[in-house]
Amino acid sequence: MRPLLIAALLATLAVPAAQAQAPYARFDEAPQDDGTSAAEQRAWTDWLQRSAAALAERGQPRELALAAMLRSAASTPVDAPLDGDTPSVPVPADAQVEAWRRSAADKAGDDALANALLMAGGDTQLRLRAAQRWLGGDPENLAPLLYRGGGVAALLADARGARRFDLHMLDQVRWIQAALLRHPPTAAERAALADAGDYVPDEHAATIAMSLWAAVAPPGLAPLLQGCDPAALRGDAARVRDCRHVGALMADTADTQLGRMVGLDLLARTAATPAEGAEAQSRRRTLDWQMLEWGRIAASQPRDGAAQFVRLLADPSIRTEAALVERVLQEAGVSPTPPAGWQPPRQ
């Protein structure tokens, strides 16, 4: 039941940076050939549009932002490209989607989740204002600072006061899942969706929630990595310190595995001694091992581990993606650290 929606979501919302986790097998990955029936396509479109309208009727900022995301997915052609390529015929802007986003922005205040949901698309200035509001309510969080962007020198200077990197990934996924469960498919829509696989309400909502989150571009990573490139660091001790601070922050506190990857890369770039470089490489090997094992474990389960994901998502003690991955490995009896001498497959 998943392929059509996820294809639409990725075609609608994704940018090349959002594909950073593509090497890892994940239950929310988009297949290249969905083979979707016309009945299933219509069921998806009808459900997305109806759910978007119902959410928007509540008039709350989170609901309005999510409604815009769902309506955007509903209007995407089924044969839209999955790789971020620009379609040959541009899709016209949806006035209702933009109106919902503007209304959500007007009402969001410093609600971190509402402002984070607004990072999904729309007007650049609207996203920048949302990032600034998010940062105002959480000034020690590097995530909204990176979404706000700006020149690299100023960004790194502002990042000196950051103490964590928190995208509120699982908070967003949990909230979206709960919102979608309040607006389930009709009996006819469920019947069409069931033709493509078992329909399990919690899994259906969680899969869509995870797909929506995964399709949103990460914040400002390309400028950050360019500003901390070895050539840019050469002879600039202050920039080395700033980049290393950001690297440690992301490697140690990021709530997503992608954030940890970026942090470890920065730590490797700014290592002052062979020991520091070896430590960063060792931690990256461990992260690669865990992600690859997660993909293998999920692939061995029915529906690619969606049931386990839903169960762990409901556990409030799991606050980060790393904690979720470690629990999956623990339940499968897999060591969280790789065997001696293990190296990840070459990309």
Side-chain angles (χ1 to χ4, degrees):
M1 71 183 204
R2 298 189 300 274
L4 172 67
L5 177 66
I6 296 174
L9 290 173
L10 292 175
T12 303
L13 302 172
V15 298
Q19 306 303 320
Q21 300 187 69
Y24 300 107
R26 296 279 297 277
F27 76 85
D28 56 340
E29 282 184 335
Q32 294 300 307
D33 180 13
D34 55 66
T36 306
S37 69
E40 188 189 358
Q41 294 176 27
R42 175 51 57 187
W44 277 124
T45 300
D46 290 348
W47 177 74
L48 287 168
Q49 292 179 337
R50 183 169 48 77
S51 298
L55 286 162
E57 283 181 1
R58 293 176 60 87
Q60 298 302 306
R62 296 182 186 182
E63 280 82 354
L64 286 163
L66 177 56
M69 296 167 76
L70 295 179
R71 184 177 169 99
S72 292
S75 64
T76 300
V78 174
D79 59 354
L82 301 183
D83 57 3
D85 289 343
T86 302
S88 56
V89 180
V91 178
D94 187 321
Q96 182 62 79
V97 167
E98 297 310 312
W100 284 343
R101 284 187 173 128
R102 288 194 300 271
S103 182
D106 289 343
K107 299 176 179 182
D110 62 359
D111 182 340
L113 290 194
N115 288 309
L117 290 169
L118 286 169
M119 297 302 110
D123 179 76
T124 299
Q125 290 303 313
L126 183 149
R127 294 199 307 274
L128 290 176
R129 290 193 296 272
Q132 185 61 54
R133 289 192 304 270
W134 180 4
L135 182 63
D138 193 2
E140 294 187 341
N141 189 354
L142 181 64
L145 178 62
L146 292 183
Y147 270 124
R148 189 191 68 180
V152 171
L155 180 66
L156 289 171
D158 289 343
R160 293 168 191 163
R163 297 293 177 266
R164 64 185 177 281
F165 181 82
D166 189 358
L167 289 169
H168 298 290
M169 171 192 172
L170 292 184
D171 290 340
Q172 290 185 65
V173 173
R174 286 166 172 143
W175 184 86
I176 294 172
Q177 181 199 27
L180 294 177
L181 284 171
R182 294 196 298 269
H183 304 286
T186 65
E189 289 163 353
R190 287 197 302 272
L193 298 176
D195 287 341
D198 295 335
Y199 172 79
V200 182
D202 285 353
E203 294 179 16
H204 168 256
T207 299
I208 297 169
M210 188 65 194
S211 301
L212 282 165
W213 185 89
V216 177
L221 298 179
L224 174 66
L225 293 174
Q226 290 168 4
C228 294
D229 183 85
L233 296 175
R234 192 172 297 117
D236 191 336
R239 177 163 290 198
V240 171
R241 287 194 299 270
D242 287 340
C243 289
R244 189 158 185 83
H245 167 67
V246 171
L249 196 69
M250 297 182 78
D252 296 340
T253 72
D255 66 321
T256 66
Q257 297 295 71
L258 175 58
R260 291 177 184 267
M261 290 179 202
V262 173
L264 291 172
D265 181 58
L266 291 176
L267 288 181
R269 294 183 185 190
T270 58
T273 66
E276 288 180 349
E279 172 67 15
Q281 291 176 1
S282 176
R283 291 179 64 181
R284 178 57 196 262
R285 283 179 59 247
T286 296
L287 189 151
D288 286 342
W289 163 262
Q290 291 180 354
M291 293 297 284
L292 288 165
E293 285 300 294
W294 179 22
R296 182 187 62 77
I297 294 165
S300 70
Q301 299 178 38
R303 298 182 299 280
D304 299 324
Q308 183 184 43
F309 178 77
V310 167
R311 175 169 54 80
L312 297 180
L313 190 63
D315 184 342
S317 71
I318 297 178
R319 298 190 60 256
T320 67
E321 188 178 20
L324 189 149
V325 173
E326 289 171 2
R327 182 72 66 83
V328 170
L329 268 59
Q330 180 185 45
E331 292 185 356
V334 174
S335 170
T337 57
W342 180 86
Q343 293 295 330
R346 291 184 179 275
Q347 300 301 330

